[in-house]
Amino acid sequence: GIRLSTRPDYINNRIIGILKEYGVTAIELGVQSLDPEVLKKSKRGHSVADVENACAIIKDSGIKLGIQTMLGLPGDTFSKALDTAYKVVSIKPEMVRIYPALVLKGTELEELYQSGSYKPLSVEEAVGWCAAIVPLYKANGITVLRIGLHSSEEMESSIVAGPYHPAFGELVESRILLNRILEELKK
């Protein structure tokens, strides 16, 4: 089958019908956040209601649903990111991808960063946030397809700031394991 990624506000019943005709079996939505303030400050152009509507249409169609979230966007906090994760769990997608927000050259986010009105997460913060969220998804039977962006020379050369590490997913998995070990030691 064919897997594709799109925006939540691009999904409707007509589009789903076309996608099914062409053999699409999985759709990943670039949700980014389920906090209205974060979506607005990030100029995503879609609402939480758009996400909920698109998810319902996809699930009703029988196409597998994936949700992509982005941690550390303007206005985001750990509490908001965790709340988004709980809302994602309640939607029950088959799969998720988690990306920490990076500041890239030539973007509005770079302008916000350069002006001092946006501060990206550090690698340490992003790893900590993801290490709290990933087990929540896994405990609810949601496959985590990716944690962090795929490394490439082109992408790496365009990063201005933010929690980039070429093995970000491994850092998160290591932190999850460390957290488990520490919990067991406390017992």
Side-chain angles (χ1 to χ4, degrees):
I2 299 170
R3 172 189 308 247
L4 59 89
S5 299
T6 191
R7 298 173 49 93
D9 51 337
Y10 284 8
I11 295 295
N12 59 46
N13 286 313
R14 185 183 68 79
I15 294 293
I16 288 293
I18 294 168
L19 295 176
K20 284 185 81 164
E21 283 180 32
Y22 283 92
V24 171
T25 56
I27 298 174
E28 294 184 40
L29 295 178
V31 169
Q32 313 323 14
S33 177
L34 287 169
D35 181 86
E37 180 188 5
V38 173
L39 292 175
K40 185 176 180 180
K41 284 187 174 185
S42 302
K43 299 183 180 179
R44 288 296 303 158
H46 69 261
S47 67
V48 173
D50 291 329
V51 172
E52 292 166 345
N53 183 53
C55 290
I57 291 170
I58 292 167
K59 288 177 77 70
D60 288 347
S61 76
I63 294 175
K64 290 182 180 176
L65 172 64
I67 291 180
Q68 300 172 1
T69 60
M70 189 171 287
L71 308 179
L73 288 166
D76 206 4
T77 63
F78 175 68
S79 176
K80 289 178 181 183
L82 195 56
D83 188 49
T84 288
Y86 279 109
K87 289 176 181 173
V88 167
V89 166
S90 73
I91 293 170
K92 300 178 182 169
E94 282 82 6
M95 63 207 108
V96 294
R97 292 179 195 263
I98 308 166
Y99 303 111
L102 300 176
V103 179
L104 302 177
K105 290 178 187 173
T107 63
E108 271 191 64
L109 199 54
E110 180 188 18
E111 292 171 21
L112 292 173
Y113 171 72
Q114 298 295 357
S115 74
S117 57
Y118 171 70
K119 182 179 181 259
L121 297 175
S122 67
V123 170
E124 181 65 25
E125 288 171 314
V127 167
W129 288 24
C130 289
I133 291 169
V134 168
L136 176 65
Y137 291 148
K138 290 182 177 181
N140 284 280
I142 301 169
T143 301
V144 179
L145 295 175
R146 183 161 200 77
I147 308 165
L149 288 172
H150 178 71
S151 178
S152 74
E153 282 184 37
E154 182 182 350
M155 199 241 346
E156 287 181 23
S157 67
S158 67
I159 296 172
V160 175
Y164 175 75
H165 189 283
F168 185 80
E170 292 299 319
L171 294 177
V172 172
E173 294 295 342
S174 296
R175 177 67 58 83
I176 291 168
L177 201 54
L178 174 63
N179 290 345
R180 285 186 193 150
I181 291 169
L182 293 174
E183 284 177 30
E184 289 300 316
L185 287 174
K186 285 179 186 177
K187 293 178 185 175

